[in-house]
Amino acid sequence: MNKQTHVSSRNYNTFQIDVSIHELYTLSSKLDFEQVPALIREGYKILGGGSNILMSSDVKVPVFHVRNKGIEIVLEKEEYVLASIGAGENWHDVVMWAIDHDYGGIENLSLIPGNAGTAPIQNIGAYGIEIKDVLHSLKAFRVSDGLEYSFHNSECQFAYRDSIFKNVLKGKFIISEIILQLTKAGHHRINTSYGAIQSKLKEKAVVNPGISDVSEAVIEIRTAKLPDPSRIGNAGSFFKNPVIPVKQFEKLKLSYSDMPHYPVDDDFVKLPAGWLIDQCGWKGKIIGNTGTYKNQALVLVNHGGASGREILELSEKIMKSVYDTYNIHLEREVNVWF
């Protein structure tokens, strides 16, 4: 296992926050995962692609960086394959691998930052698809004793941007491998339910889209809306889209007739957090070294030299503003390292 001390975090998080990681351990093999318990003292952090974290200060506890790679077909049927993905694989690279091999199911999740192992933790989703829709199972090592366990989809307790690994088992397991069930040619289920995808396909004159067409459309949409982390530090969507009771929405609708919403079920609706933040006047606002992205208020950015504390304080101001205006609590999607 590779160990580094007093490492700058700048290249390990997409916000480009520069703090000191006192101990950084790289996990690249099964043996590395098994050795984790012996290295833990009081507290530790698990690091994947660094796309969903905000480091607010120097990290003084051991950090375990998941870097194991590999993609392998472990089962093939007439309609689908089961693909084993190393947790350290870049998620978008996994999507592109699937497209190249004509395996469907994750094309709507193109260009989502982060690594494969962190995808199930927050149940990543976009444009009508969540990873829970394609995840067959996963393997993870228990931090307390280094033993390997398998979790079937049903055991992951998936919910909107949520899973058992964000709640009951938070920090207790390190995911080492995910197994996806992907459709084969002739059995793809194309999902173009979101208007943005339909509009983009129409613009490109695509009548009968395949998985590559959907992927290309999603990439173009996300590129137009979201900043490139290599140019502007960010962690994508900073807040979850709030889900509120229908009764509360009906009351809000009386005052805000143009409020967009998406039905969840008979009792709840989902509101776009970006719209709420935009309506409160935050879109494109710059405060010190940070602010919100000019094309998407949901994205908080580091314009250069921002500290994690600055970005955290901005998020708190936005949350208060939305609550004061709409009586809606925004919840951070990004994990804050205190």
Side-chain angles (χ1 to χ4, degrees):
M1 181 188 299
N2 181 50
K3 175 186 177 182
Q4 297 173 272
T5 58
H6 300 288
V7 180
S8 167
S9 67
R10 196 177 190 283
N11 294 326
Y12 293 92
N13 72 104
T14 58
F15 255 125
Q16 299 179 21
I17 300 298
D18 190 4
V19 298
S20 176
I21 300 176
H22 288 204
E23 294 178 53
L24 181 68
Y25 298 90
T26 302
L27 308 182
S28 301
S29 68
K30 181 176 181 179
L31 179 60
D32 291 342
F33 284 95
E34 293 173 340
Q35 291 177 338
V36 167
L39 301 169
I40 291 176
R41 296 184 299 279
E42 294 183 9
Y44 54 90
K45 299 288 186 183
I46 301 167
L47 176 65
S51 64
N52 197 46
I53 59 173
L54 175 64
M55 299 180 180
S56 63
S57 61
D58 288 350
V59 187
K60 298 180 181 179
V61 297
V63 174
F64 299 102
H65 190 199
V66 180
R67 295 288 293 164
N68 61 313
K69 302 291 184 73
I71 302 178
E72 179 186 2
I73 300 300
V74 294
L75 178 68
E76 183 166 1
K77 297 287 188 177
E78 180 181 347
E79 298 182 356
Y80 66 87
V81 297
L82 293 184
S84 169
I85 317 291
E89 289 283 353
N90 174 272
W91 174 255
H92 182 63
D93 288 348
V94 173
V95 177
M96 291 298 96
W97 169 86
I99 298 293
D100 289 343
H101 289 79
D102 204 7
Y103 297 143
I106 55 177
E107 56 276 0
N108 293 55
L109 305 180
S110 297
L111 213 61
I112 293 180
N115 287 357
T118 54
I121 296 175
Q122 65 183 58
N123 186 23
I124 61 170
Y127 302 106
I129 296 293
E130 294 177 316
I131 196 169
K132 72 175 179 62
D133 301 323
V134 294
L135 185 97
H136 174 272
S137 56
L138 61 81
K139 294 182 180 180
F141 286 83
R142 192 162 64 183
V143 173
S144 62
D145 54 19
L147 294 179
E148 184 180 37
Y149 287 77
S150 292
F151 292 83
H152 191 269
N153 183 301
S154 60
E155 297 174 295
C156 295
Q157 297 181 16
F158 287 123
Y160 173 62
R161 299 298 178 272
D162 200 9
S163 73
I164 194 172
F165 302 104
K166 287 187 72 174
N167 296 290
V168 180
L169 299 184
K170 184 176 182 179
K172 295 182 179 180
F173 283 83
I174 304 179
I175 296 173
S176 59
E177 176 186 341
I178 65 173
I179 296 89
L180 304 180
Q181 182 170 320
L182 305 173
T183 56
K184 294 172 65 175
H187 301 280
H188 298 323
R189 296 182 291 274
I190 305 298
N191 186 329
T192 59
S193 59
Y194 267 65
I197 294 181
Q198 295 174 8
S199 298
K200 179 58 67 173
L201 292 173
K202 184 176 181 180
E203 175 188 315
K204 296 162 69 71
V206 177
V207 179
N208 296 307
I211 59 173
S212 61
D213 297 311
V214 173
S215 174
E216 290 171 9
V218 169
I219 290 172
E220 290 186 27
I221 294 167
R222 292 183 67 90
T223 301
K225 289 173 58 179
L226 304 173
D228 182 347
S230 66
R231 297 186 178 185
I232 304 176
N234 75 92
S237 300
F238 197 90
F239 302 100
K240 294 181 181 180
N241 291 322
V243 175
I244 65 172
V246 170
K247 290 182 178 179
Q248 182 182 358
F249 170 70
E250 293 298 340
K251 290 181 180 179
L252 287 168
K253 192 76 171 175
L254 296 175
S255 300
Y256 308 100
S257 58
D258 60 340
M259 178 180 281
H261 66 287
Y262 307 97
V264 174
D265 53 34
D266 292 339
D267 300 314
F268 292 93
V269 297
K270 183 190 300 181
L271 305 180
W275 184 90
L276 297 171
I277 298 168
D278 189 358
Q279 296 302 301
C280 289
W282 288 101
K283 187 176 181 179
K285 203 163 191 175
I286 298 175
I287 299 179
N289 296 313
T290 185
T292 59
Y293 188 51
K294 62 181 180 179
N295 294 340
Q296 175 52 270
L298 188 57
V299 179
L300 274 57
V301 298
N302 176 4
H303 287 295
S307 68
R309 181 60 58 179
E310 276 185 271
I311 296 172
L312 180 61
E313 290 175 354
L314 173 62
S315 73
E316 290 170 345
K317 290 177 181 177
I318 290 173
M319 292 165 75
K320 183 179 185 302
S321 179
V322 169
Y323 180 77
D324 290 346
T325 304
Y326 298 104
N327 195 32
I328 292 174
H329 288 283
L330 287 185
E331 184 180 347
R332 296 185 187 96
E333 187 169 331
V334 170
N335 295 306
V336 181
W337 285 14
F338 292 101

